[in-house]
Amino acid sequence: MHINISPTKTEVAKNFSDYLEELIKENKTTHIALSGGSTPKVVFDYMSEHYKDVDWSTVHLYWGDERCVPPTDSESNYKMTVDHLLSKINIPKDNIHRVRGEDLPELEAGRYGKVLEEELPIVESIPQFDLVILGMGDDGHTASIFPHEIGLWDSTNNCEVAIHPDSGQRRITITGKLINNAKMVAFLVTGSSKAEKVRSIITKEEGHESYPASLVAPSSGELIWFLDEEAAAQIN
Ligand code: 6PG
């Protein structure tokens, strides 16, 4: 596990963009699962503005989770990514594999699970991403696996339907077997509200196992936390 701490969100965005640019240069094709929420916005804006030479034609984009809303909805992770990245870069349409949040969740979880089987290399009989980007909620959730549904992590399916504990919003999420089968996993976590869970998970405090983010342990061993000083305040 590597921990990369930067003073500000913008410097997290810069360090992560450097890391991603390098990864894309190294690979003939790079399959990336994107995270949702608000933290990626800063990174996507930074990358699309300052990394004009990235050859996105070699990159295939997927989502680690999506809200069950239409792609035009302000809650849509796809829409967030279009607004902050896809509308500003040159990437072939066929390289964008979005979750159809507007469709029936159970059917879409099945369909998207098949898309991953078809598009990704299969390693240890599990689809393998080159990189899974994850955020973490204040409650220790990651992707859309929340503490009250932590059992979804061990699902034998590639994707599952999850329910947001407060809003009841339905979500489509990849499961633990895909996350831990990835060649690399990168957490993008910023802000003081995350510091307590970051400390608990990284220092393996008593009870940390109840946080889905603590189950992230890629068999490749390649796990990197990109944190700002606020999120790292209790481990620094
Ligand atoms: C989502 C996510 C989720 C997110 C965390 C952190 O769709 O909401 O993928 O796992 O990464 O909730 O969200 P913030 O970056 O907004 O704090």
Side-chain angles (χ1 to χ4, degrees):
M1 186 208 302
H2 312 276
I3 302 174
N4 179 306
I5 302 171
S6 313
T8 64
K9 284 187 175 59
T10 305
E11 281 155 299
V12 169
K14 181 184 178 324
N15 289 333
F16 181 77
S17 300
D18 287 344
Y19 163 81
L20 191 53
E21 183 187 39
E22 215 39 56
L23 180 71
I24 292 168
K25 271 192 195 144
E26 280 162 15
N27 288 343
K28 198 159 153 294
T29 304
T30 309
H31 296 277
I32 303 173
L34 301 172
S35 60
S38 59
T39 305
K41 296 178 184 173
V42 184
V43 174
F44 293 161
D45 288 341
Y46 195 92
M47 191 147 201
S48 54
E49 197 181 327
H50 299 282
Y51 294 74
K52 304 285 184 194
D53 305 336
V54 170
D55 180 2
W56 293 99
S57 71
T58 67
V59 177
H60 283 252
L61 297 177
Y62 309 79
W63 279 261
D65 66 328
E66 180 59 286
R67 292 90 179 270
C68 296
V69 294
T72 51
D73 189 290
S74 60
E75 278 281 301
S76 162
N77 284 337
Y78 170 73
K79 182 178 185 313
M80 178 273 286
T81 312
V82 169
D83 294 347
H84 293 272
L85 182 69
L86 302 180
S87 59
K88 305 174 187 173
I89 62 173
N90 191 5
I91 184 169
K93 280 206 171 356
D94 293 349
N95 290 25
I96 300 170
H97 310 276
R98 84 175 174 90
V99 177
R100 296 178 59 81
E102 68 272 30
D103 291 351
L104 205 62
E106 287 69 21
L107 290 184
E108 181 55 14
R111 183 198 74 86
Y112 202 64
K114 285 203 187 71
V115 167
L116 301 179
E117 291 282 344
E118 287 149 14
E119 296 288 337
L120 296 173
I122 303 295
V123 175
E124 308 287 341
S125 62
I126 300 170
Q128 184 179 61
F129 288 104
D130 293 291
L131 173 66
V132 171
I133 307 172
L134 294 172
M136 184 189 73
D138 302 1
D139 61 355
H141 82 259
T142 195
S144 276
I145 300 183
F146 297 92
H148 76 288
E149 290 180 323
I150 197 164
L152 291 179
W153 185 271
D154 297 320
S155 165
T156 54
N157 298 323
N158 293 336
C159 299
E160 285 284 355
V161 178
I163 298 173
H164 190 284
D166 307 329
S167 67
Q169 182 187 58
R170 309 285 287 286
R171 305 276 187 97
I172 307 285
T173 184
I174 60 173
T175 57
K177 68 173 187 175
L178 267 78
I179 293 172
N180 283 341
N181 197 46
K183 282 188 187 162
M184 296 189 166
V185 177
F187 271 113
L188 269 178
V189 177
T190 61
S192 55
S193 66
K194 310 290 171 74
E196 191 238 329
K197 293 297 183 295
V198 166
R199 184 201 70 231
S200 174
I201 291 167
I202 290 181
T203 64
K204 297 193 182 314
E205 272 175 9
E206 197 188 333
H208 73 281
E209 308 84 352
S210 65
Y211 308 134
S214 74
L215 303 175
V216 177
S219 41
S220 67
E222 287 296 327
L223 172 61
I224 184 165
W225 289 78
F226 287 88
L227 305 170
D228 66 355
E229 276 176 5
E230 285 187 6
Q234 300 182 21
I235 60 166
N236 216 0

